[in-house]
Amino acid sequence: MSDEHHNIPVITIDGPGGSGKGTVAMRLAERLGWHFLDSGALYRLVAVAAIDRGISPKEEEALGVLASSLDVNFGISGDGMVILLDGNYITGRLRSEEVSVFSSKIATFSLVRSALVKRQRAFRKAPGLVADGRDMGTVIFPDAVLKVFLTANAEARAKRRYKQLKEKGESVNLSRLFREIKKRDERDSSRAIAPLKPADDAHVIDSTDLSIDEVLQIIHKLLDESDVSL
Ligand code: C5P
């Protein structure tokens, strides 16, 4: 990576699913006029492509090849981000529970993770980037100017997810979602490579009893207090 690239500021927002990191990161990027990376979407894209090709979540080598050869395009339409895989719109499928579980299984493989490193760093473009995920502050952008680790207890996260999926018309069961979230937390936190954990220099924010706006206020305060020039 060139020095010039390193001068482009990055803010990382890591944390478990349902902590609100996606919404917070997107809103922050909008307010700052910066680019936005939803790194979980890349793992989800590999999952969708694997499901469509009949590749099982255990075939590390085939999944690694798939991750490095994905034909992906991100775009903005009137009502948000659209994602094309092999030229087909797949945005709607990305958030299903099937894809959530599949993506967290394949995210344990080093061949998959290393295939996605370059793709993620390519999002670092002027004037700046807000990146959300699990290892943005620890592995992908260790030189970020501000690192946030957003968390919330599993019950609050399951309820948020339940509401999201319900609004999308998916039939969901709250106690099953709660169990899935706990299992996914366990897999994400205990994996050998890039486990879900705050970077040493991350600011940990517990959003259990906070609204998205309250979290954003805290982040803006952290930015004001730091010597980041925006
Ligand atoms: O953030 P999201 O829930 O969309 O991520 C889907 C899955 O992708 C997570 O459960 C996690 O296992 C994996 N992931 C990851 N590293 C990231 C982002 C997501 O391992 N930076």
Side-chain angles (χ1 to χ4, degrees):
M1 202 184 296
S2 67
D3 284 347
E4 197 189 328
H5 215 143
H6 269 294
N7 289 334
I8 299 171
V10 181
I11 296 174
T12 57
I13 311 211
D14 288 307
S19 59
K21 65 185 161 41
T23 314
V24 166
M26 205 183 320
R27 297 258 297 269
L28 183 63
E30 259 168 29
R31 282 191 193 176
L32 298 172
W34 286 12
H35 298 277
F36 166 59
L37 165 63
D38 167 5
S39 61
L42 294 175
Y43 289 89
R44 288 173 182 271
L45 277 163
V46 181
V48 171
I51 292 167
D52 286 354
R53 287 162 175 76
I55 299 173
S56 98
K58 291 186 177 149
E59 293 176 73
E60 174 165 6
E61 224 157 285
L63 290 161
V65 171
L66 190 60
S68 51
S69 61
L70 275 188
D71 171 18
V72 187
N73 279 294
F74 294 87
I76 302 283
S77 87
D79 44 0
M81 190 165 76
V82 290
I83 299 172
L84 290 112
L85 180 63
D86 301 323
N88 300 311
Y89 286 97
I90 52 119
T91 319
R93 287 176 65 197
L94 276 192
R95 307 274 147 207
S96 70
E97 268 313 286
E98 182 196 18
V99 171
S100 297
V101 173
F102 201 109
S103 61
S104 102
K105 286 185 179 162
I106 64 173
T108 58
F109 294 137
S110 66
L111 284 182
V112 173
R113 302 202 73 84
S114 55
L116 295 180
V117 169
K118 238 172 107 182
R119 271 182 202 270
Q120 294 172 86
R121 292 193 177 140
F123 280 77
R124 186 174 196 166
K125 288 191 188 133
L129 174 70
V130 182
D132 99 62
R134 304 289 189 291
D135 60 345
M136 297 297 98
T138 48
V139 177
I140 307 295
F141 303 110
D143 62 335
V145 290
L146 180 73
K147 298 180 187 178
V148 172
F149 190 85
L150 195 58
T151 178
N153 69 33
E155 203 184 336
R157 291 187 285 122
K159 281 189 184 150
R160 288 174 191 169
R161 204 66 199 119
Y162 177 80
K163 206 169 145 243
Q164 257 177 11
L165 291 171
K166 256 274 163 59
E167 279 166 8
K168 280 197 192 133
E170 275 202 41
S171 68
V172 275
N173 171 301
L174 184 58
S175 50
R176 224 197 74 214
L177 267 184
F178 180 72
R179 284 197 303 275
E180 285 296 346
I181 279 201
K182 296 278 271 188
K183 253 197 261 169
R184 204 140 72 89
D185 282 355
E186 171 61 24
R187 241 194 324 263
D188 287 349
S189 311
S190 63
R191 68 180 176 222
I193 318 152
L196 171 66
K197 65 162 190 208
D200 291 339
D201 49 350
H203 299 269
V204 179
I205 302 175
D206 185 338
S207 76
T208 305
D209 298 312
L210 299 177
S211 67
I212 295 289
D213 277 326
E214 286 168 327
V215 173
L216 279 164
Q217 271 170 26
I218 296 174
I219 296 177
H220 277 290
K221 199 160 165 267
L222 288 170
L223 279 172
D224 288 343
E225 286 163 6
S226 68
D227 46 7
V228 182
S229 53
L230 300 175

